[in-house]
Amino acid sequence: MLAHNRIAVLHGVNLDQLGRRDPAIYGDLDYDRLTQRIGEFASELELAAQFFQTNFEGDLVEHLHRVHDIADGIIINPGAWTHYSYAIRDALEIAALPTVEVHLSDIQNREEFRRTSVIGDICLTTVSGQGVDGYRPALEALRDHLATAAN
Ligand code: DQA
């Protein structure tokens, strides 16, 4: 088991509304079932996932200010903040933890404004368009990074 295996799984604006959003784009899991599934992936990979979701940008910023004390890595799906929040980007830089960006939908093949991610270049990698299943390769990438960093 990895010594540093605590993963903060962070969801931003409107992701608590999964289940009410277009299932053709976002799948049919609601937020609770999404986090349950991510928790199962994490357990299979011997990672300890903890979850946080908010619709308030400042709450996510403040969570990122504290996350260093409770996690070794971050999975983040910021929702629409992905495309314009320099505040979230700056807070992620302050957190200074290895981070993987995840999107349920394929942000490169939707509306033009979704093609820009203001956090992509400070993340280890981005997984997009694989629905809930995309959180598994995201967790694997973090686990591999944490394992290498430990040696
Ligand atoms: C999303 C993609 C964003 O463009 C959108 O605003 C979301 C969800 C996704 O998971 O596909 O709220 O991050």
Side-chain angles (χ1 to χ4, degrees), residues 14-35:
N14 290 319
L15 286 158
D16 60 331
Q17 297 300 306
L18 289 172
R20 296 177 62 194
R21 301 183 74 178
D22 186 347
I25 296 175
Y26 295 112
D28 52 14
L29 298 189
D30 64 16
Y31 176 74
D32 287 344
R33 288 180 58 214
L34 180 85
T35 54

Side-chain angles (χ1 to χ4, degrees), residues 89 93 101 117-124 126:
R89 180 196 165 90
E93 278 189 326
E101 175 186 13
S117 166
V118 300
I119 65 163
D121 66 307
I122 58 168
C123 294
L124 295 174
T126 298

